[in-house]
Amino acid sequence: GQQVMQIPQYQHVQEGEDFTTYCNSSTTLSNIQWYKQRPGGHPVFLIQLVKSGEVKKQKRLTFQFGEAKKNSSLHITATQTTDVGTYFCAGSKVYQLIWGAGTKLIIKP
Amino acid sequence: DAGVTQSPTHLIKTRGQQVTLRCSPISGHKSVSWYQQVLGQGPQFIFQYYEKEERGRGNFPDRFSARQFPNYSSELNVNALLLGDSALYLCASSPTGEGGYTFGSGTRLTVV
């Protein structure tokens, strides 16, 4: 079946450093969505990418969708303590989302 | 505006028991989806309902069932609970069942 792989599992950064998470699908995706889940919280929708090669920005966050629509990335510039949480990608399959395992962003003290 | 509301927030059940979880979507949203999230993993799709009809079912046993009411609220039922059913159960609503979803805070189910 369709799988969505996400790496790395964890990323430890100093505040102010950049963070990147990568997502790869075994099949072509119609679209990909990104969510953030704070510790003890629920997923919060960040963005949806639909077009091949699409790049979208939200302040310090940059989202990319690959040309083949099988991979995606999220890059955060100059991380802040408010960025802490787990970032999930999720590929659409008919009426369900197939989720990656998430990348946990940890800010080093 | 109220977001997606789920009840109860926490629940402890014994193996073999049955449980009903409830969800009220955002006003105007006709689609409700249910997901199971085990600690440390991404959510797993259970069901999607749109206009009271089941539009999708994930790879879960028949012990899991759901329904959607005329006011678009939804219930998820799980029979014959197993220890492995312990998880956070998330409800998500959207206007049409596509696009970005708004999640509720979830029901944390513990089976002992």
Side-chain angles (χ1 to χ4, degrees), chain B residues 24-35:
Chain B
S24 293
I26 290 173
S27 178
H29 284 194
K30 298 181 178 180
S31 173
V32 168
S33 299
W34 288 96
Y35 286 83

Side-chain angles (χ1 to χ4, degrees), chain A residues 33 35 37 42-43 45 48 88 95-97 99-101, chain B residues 35 37 42-43 45 48 55 98-101 103-105:
Chain A
Q33 300 177 22
Y35 291 80
Q37 187 171 21
H42 57 277
F45 174 71
Q48 177 174 277
F88 290 97
Y95 296 117
Q96 65 174 282
L97 293 177
W99 294 68
Chain B
Y35 286 83
Q37 187 176 27
F45 174 75
Q48 186 184 95
R55 258 197 335 196
E98 298 175 332
Y101 295 89
F103 282 82
S105 298

Side-chain angles (χ1 to χ4, degrees), chain B residues 60-88:
Chain B
F60 279 80
D62 292 344
R63 298 185 295 108
F64 288 76
S65 63
R67 56 181 175 169
Q68 187 177 33
F69 299 98
N71 66 354
Y72 304 115
S73 67
S74 178
E75 287 182 350
L76 175 69
N77 296 282
V78 187
N79 293 323
L81 285 166
L82 303 174
L83 295 179
D85 295 330
S86 296
L88 179 67

Side-chain angles (χ1 to χ4, degrees), chain B:
Chain B
D1 286 340
V4 178
T5 57
Q6 291 188 244
S7 62
T9 54
H10 295 82
L11 203 51
I12 299 176
K13 289 286 189 178
T14 305
R15 275 178 299 175
Q17 285 189 315
Q18 175 264 343
V19 68
T20 299
L21 311 181
R22 295 175 175 83
C23 173
S24 293
I26 290 173
S27 178
H29 284 194
K30 298 181 178 180
S31 173
V32 168
S33 299
W34 288 96
Y35 286 83
Q36 180 197 66
Q37 187 176 27
V38 174
L39 196 62
Q41 297 181 18
Q44 297 292 315
F45 174 75
I46 310 176
F47 288 108
Q48 186 184 95
Y49 277 78
Y50 178 75
E51 292 273 21
K52 298 177 288 179
E53 297 292 324
E54 181 186 301
R55 258 197 335 196
R57 171 186 283 256
N59 189 24
F60 279 80
D62 292 344
R63 298 185 295 108
F64 288 76
S65 63
R67 56 181 175 169
Q68 187 177 33
F69 299 98
N71 66 354
Y72 304 115
S73 67
S74 178
E75 287 182 350
L76 175 69
N77 296 282
V78 187
N79 293 323
L81 285 166
L82 303 174
L83 295 179
D85 295 330
S86 296
L88 179 67
Y89 288 84
L90 294 161
C91 172
S93 80
S94 72
T96 63
E98 298 175 332
Y101 295 89
T102 303
F103 282 82
S105 298
T107 295
R108 184 158 299 281
L109 172 65
T110 302
V111 182
V112 298

Side-chain angles (χ1 to χ4, degrees), chain A residues 13-17 36-39 60 76-87 105-109:
Chain A
V13 299
Q14 299 277 5
E15 188 174 4
E17 291 182 336
K36 176 184 178 182
Q37 187 171 21
R38 294 182 184 274
R60 294 177 295 104
I76 302 177
T77 304
T79 55
Q80 300 174 357
T81 55
T82 53
D83 296 327
V84 163
T86 300
Y87 292 84
L105 169 58
I106 299 164
I107 304 282
K108 297 177 189 176

